[in-house]
Amino acid sequence: MLRKAFEKAQPTLEKDEDYQLFMKENADWVKDYALFRAVKDYFGGKFWQLWPEDIKLRQPAGVKVYQMLLKQDIAFYCFLEYTFLKQYLKMKKYANKKGIQILGDIPIYVSIDSADAWAQPEMFYFDKDLVPTKVAGVPPDAFSETGQLWGNPLYDWDAHK
């Protein structure tokens, strides 16, 4: 159904001022996210570290190839993000009018198999082969004798500065 909605809306998106504003305001992440999702689909859901080197390492020529090859799918994922935000804000406004506040949950870590880790590996502790050198977890405690190794890549806060 979402693909059908996209196909119906696509001819008008270039002239849709709200959509264009969304794309502009979210330019720092939405196209990378959409490319990530489209490439992940193309490779049957494989972990990005198992993709061919050209796209795994975001080599400019490789990125360009997949952007052209998956142009429709990338546009579809951008449309989904726009549609979700539009519907979410409408629902939130309605809830707020009824005196209901919505609290969001922001994860502390990102998944290693995420658009964030793939698109900006320099923001995390990865080695030259994009293998995490530091990952999240907790030491042993009263709940777990061995501790827990979550595997989420840790942020390189110096890089974020």
Side-chain angles (χ1 to χ4, degrees):
M1 294 304 293
L2 293 171
R3 288 274 179 186
K4 284 185 179 183
F6 168 66
E7 289 168 11
K8 186 175 179 180
Q10 190 177 21
T12 63
L13 290 177
E14 279 190 39
K15 294 180 182 176
D16 183 325
E17 290 179 15
D18 289 339
Y19 179 76
Q20 293 305 318
L21 181 62
F22 167 82
M23 292 300 292
K24 184 177 178 180
E25 288 178 346
N26 296 282
D28 60 329
W29 68 270
V30 73
K31 287 185 179 180
D32 279 334
Y33 171 77
L35 175 60
F36 175 83
R37 288 293 309 269
V39 173
K40 193 162 182 66
D41 288 351
Y42 182 77
F43 289 115
K46 280 186 186 172
F47 179 31
W48 66 265
Q49 289 189 330
L50 300 176
W51 296 350
E53 293 289 304
D54 63 343
I55 192 65
K56 170 187 168 182
L57 301 176
R58 295 180 53 88
Q59 296 169 348
V63 169
K64 190 172 189 174
V65 165
Y66 288 97
Q67 284 173 331
M68 290 173 21
L69 177 68
L70 303 171
K71 185 178 181 178
Q72 281 295 100
D73 293 320
I74 293 165
F76 169 68
Y77 281 112
C78 289
F79 170 77
L80 285 187
E81 291 302 306
Y82 165 71
T83 302
F84 169 80
L85 181 63
K86 194 168 129 179
Q87 291 180 355
Y88 168 76
L89 292 175
K90 187 176 179 180
M91 184 266 311
K92 183 180 182 304
K93 184 178 179 180
Y94 172 80
N96 291 161
K97 281 184 180 178
K98 300 286 184 181
I100 300 168
Q101 293 183 348
I102 298 175
L103 300 175
D105 182 20
I106 299 174
I108 297 170
Y109 301 109
V110 300
S111 169
I112 189 171
D113 192 22
S114 67
D116 300 304
W118 172 73
Q120 296 185 316
E122 68 280 2
M123 297 298 182
F124 303 91
Y125 285 102
F126 284 115
D127 67 15
K128 63 179 178 48
D129 297 316
L130 300 180
V131 174
T133 58
K134 297 181 181 183
V135 294
V138 294
D141 60 16
F143 300 103
S144 173
E145 288 183 20
T146 58
Q148 298 175 25
L149 183 61
W150 301 332
N152 307 80
L154 291 184
Y155 298 105
D156 180 342
W157 292 115
D158 290 334
H160 281 266
K161 287 180 188 174

